[in-house]
Amino acid sequence: MDSRKPGSGAAAVKCPQKISLLSSPVRAIIRLRRTAHILKKGLSPTERRTLQGDPQSKLLQRQISLGKAKLGSASASVLSQASFEKAQYFTFDTSAQPPLTRSSKRKKRSRNPRVLYPGSTRRYMPMEQKSKAKRCLLLLIGIVCFQILNAIENLDDNVLKYDLDGLEKTMHREVFGQTVAIESIMALLKDYLATHIHNKPLVISFNGPSGVGKSHVGWLLAKHFRSVVGHSFVLHYFTMHHCPDEASSLACQLDLSEKISDMVTQAEIEEKIPLFILDEVELMSPALLETLSRFFLTNQTNEFLNAVYILISKAGGKEIMNFLLQNVSTDPPLPQNKVEELLTSLRPVLSHVHPLWGFVEIVPFVLLEKSHVQSCFYEEMMSEGIYPEPSHIASLVSQLSYYVKGERQFSMMGCKQVVATVNLL
């Protein structure tokens, strides 16, 4: 019995040690299962699937299974505890990844952009704030419009100063058969005289056969501008009178250059535009034409750019006559397309005479009809104090020569012989 007691005592002593060795891994496994259960409750299905596919979670499950299979092995429990304590596989620190709550799972509702008004109140649009920049913009637009209107009024004042409307009425009343030519002249003058700032002088050339009214228009222009701008700013130059001899061509060049220079200089001081009417240009010598053409260039001082030159010549008269006779129509005025065609064919002919006609405004004067010659007789007899009896005028008109084209008759000499015929009465 004594022998048993020690043996049983030794067994009793060994038994608590065995229980203490086995209780530590069991407690660790229990803690792991509880922790895993708590984490699974807080995870969503998507996160659970992610966790199942994580290699660390698989290793944790494997270690748990190994711990169940070897509960009696003390060395296995020590190894499992050492492996759980390593942070590279697993950690018990739950602060790094807090469990998701229901509030965080809820999605934020999108706000309705519409403004909801109570049913018992009236709906009003928000008040628009007036911009000061808009007022400044309207003020600027008003200033610009006022300046434009002021500039237009200034242009009108310049035109009114020369009384071009009165000149146009006079020319329509005293010049017969040249409606297209008068309209072209007035359009050029109105456009040029509307302002005092120009980049080139205005040069107009009257071309046509003899007796069609070129010199008469030049005389009317000289008379009108003398009454508007003064005698000192109008030069009426006749080649046969001022330079009859070709031997004195050099003196004529100096004299004409001096007159033009003095007039444009004085006109610039008084802010006026001078008028130069040069008649019988076809009789000028080439040297005199060359001197005259220098005043038509654009690379000059400002005073020489503010001037109007009228060139009166018979050059190109034959071409104008032939063109008119070949293009006779039932309507007395020449159509605009025919006028442009005439200018296109006439400019090379005049440029062959002298290059200055290459950069001037050409105004062709056409042949006069028989009715126009009758009007010339009537006006001349009235000015001479002779009673214009219609039968007497008809007999005088029949004595002149005419080009006959269908039902229309064109005078060969225009009104050139009217003055001489009336003087013989």
Side-chain angles (χ1 to χ4, degrees):
M1 291 187 64
D2 296 334
S3 61
R4 290 180 182 177
K5 288 181 182 178
S8 63
V13 173
K14 291 181 181 179
C15 203
Q17 293 178 356
K18 186 175 182 181
I19 293 171
S20 63
L21 289 173
L22 295 174
S23 63
S24 177
V26 171
R27 286 196 300 269
I29 292 171
I30 293 172
R31 285 198 301 270
L32 288 174
R33 289 178 63 86
R34 288 178 180 177
T35 305
H37 184 68
I38 292 171
L39 291 175
K40 287 182 179 181
K41 283 185 177 182
L43 295 178
S44 61
T46 306
E47 291 173 342
R48 291 177 185 175
R49 288 193 296 269
T50 305
L51 188 59
Q52 291 175 1
D54 191 3
Q56 292 184 357
S57 61
K58 290 182 178 180
L59 180 60
L60 179 60
Q61 293 177 1
R62 182 179 180 184
Q63 289 174 352
I64 292 171
S65 62
L66 290 174
K68 288 181 179 180
K70 298 180 180 179
L71 292 176
S73 176
S75 60
S77 64
V78 173
L79 291 174
S80 62
Q81 289 180 359
S83 62
F84 287 134
E85 290 175 357
K86 292 182 180 180
Q88 59 179 346
Y89 296 108
F90 185 81
T91 178
F92 289 101
D93 187 9
T94 58
S95 61
Q97 190 175 4
L100 298 176
T101 59
R102 292 183 180 181
S103 60
S104 61
K105 294 179 182 180
R106 295 177 182 175
K107 296 182 179 179
K108 294 183 179 180
R109 296 180 180 178
S110 59
R111 294 183 179 180
N112 195 345
R114 295 180 298 175
V115 179
L116 300 179
Y117 293 92
S120 60
T121 59
R122 298 182 63 183
R123 300 181 182 182
Y124 294 96
M125 295 296 292
M127 295 293 294
E128 293 184 0
Q129 296 181 356
K130 295 183 179 179
S131 176
K132 295 182 179 179
K134 187 175 181 180
R135 295 179 181 178
C136 295
L137 180 61
L138 293 176
L139 179 61
L140 178 61
I141 293 174
I143 293 173
V144 172
C145 293
F146 177 76
Q147 290 180 349
I148 293 173
L149 292 175
N150 191 22
I152 294 174
E153 290 179 359
N154 291 335
L155 295 178
D156 294 338
D157 292 342
N158 289 332
V159 175
L160 292 174
K161 181 173 65 175
Y162 294 98
D163 190 21
L164 296 181
D165 292 336
L167 174 62
E168 185 175 6
K169 292 178 182 179
T170 303
M171 293 175 68
H172 279 294
R173 184 177 62 250
E174 298 191 19
V175 180
F176 308 106
Q178 304 296 343
T179 304
V180 177
I182 292 173
E183 291 177 354
S184 300
I185 295 169
M186 296 309 303
L188 292 170
L189 290 176
K190 288 179 180 179
D191 184 58
Y192 189 82
L193 298 177
T195 178
H196 194 70
I197 301 174
H198 308 94
N199 57 2
K200 64 177 181 178
L202 176 62
V203 186
I204 306 175
S205 178
F206 298 167
N207 296 89
S210 179
V212 294
K214 304 184 302 297
S215 297
H216 187 54
V217 172
W219 179 80
L220 291 176
L221 288 172
K223 180 182 177 181
H224 178 79
F225 275 86
R226 284 194 182 103
S227 63
V228 173
V229 299
H231 290 265
S232 57
F233 299 110
V234 177
L235 174 63
H236 205 164
Y237 189 90
F238 292 91
T239 304
M240 291 297 295
H241 175 73
H242 292 88
C243 190
D245 190 6
E246 293 185 1
S248 59
S249 176
L250 181 59
C252 294
Q253 297 176 42
L254 296 175
D255 180 62
L256 182 59
S257 299
E258 185 179 357
K259 288 180 178 179
I260 294 176
S261 301
D262 293 342
M263 287 181 62
V264 296
T265 303
Q266 187 63 27
E268 183 68 18
I269 296 173
E270 300 187 18
E271 295 186 355
K272 295 181 179 179
I273 297 179
L275 176 66
F276 301 95
I277 301 174
L278 308 170
D279 206 342
E280 302 170 339
V281 178
E282 73 277 359
L283 300 178
M284 288 185 177
S285 61
L288 187 58
L289 287 174
E290 187 66 27
T291 302
L292 185 62
S293 64
R294 295 171 186 169
F295 293 100
F296 303 160
L297 302 177
T298 57
N299 55 346
Q300 304 180 84
T301 55
N302 188 52
E303 62 268 16
F304 289 94
L305 300 178
N306 298 324
V308 179
Y309 296 89
I310 304 296
L311 308 181
I312 302 174
S313 174
K314 295 179 183 178
K318 184 177 180 180
E319 287 75 13
I320 294 174
M321 180 185 66
N322 293 334
F323 182 88
L324 181 64
L325 295 177
Q326 293 174 3
N327 296 273
V328 174
S329 61
T330 56
D331 298 329
L334 199 63
Q336 184 63 32
N337 59 341
K338 293 296 181 180
V339 173
E340 295 177 357
E341 184 180 351
L342 173 60
L343 293 175
T344 303
S345 61
L346 185 61
R347 191 175 294 275
V349 176
L350 297 176
S351 298
H352 182 72
V353 177
H354 196 275
L356 69 86
W357 270 285
F359 48 87
V360 303
E361 301 291 341
I362 300 175
V363 178
F365 281 68
V366 296
L367 294 174
L368 299 181
E369 296 188 46
K370 190 174 183 178
S371 59
H372 302 144
V373 178
Q374 291 178 350
S375 300
C376 291
F377 272 107
Y378 181 85
E379 289 294 330
E380 185 64 24
M381 293 176 71
M382 288 290 292
S383 63
E384 294 293 333
I386 303 174
Y387 178 72
E389 187 177 355
S391 59
H392 191 194
I393 293 176
S395 62
L396 294 175
V397 169
S398 61
Q399 296 176 8
L400 303 180
S401 301
Y402 299 93
Y403 296 107
V404 179
K405 284 292 180 177
E407 298 180 356
R408 302 177 64 180
Q409 298 180 8
F410 299 93
S411 177
M412 292 183 180
M413 298 298 295
C415 292
K416 192 99 175 158
Q417 300 175 344
V418 171
V419 176
T421 305
V422 172
N423 290 335
L424 295 176
L425 297 178

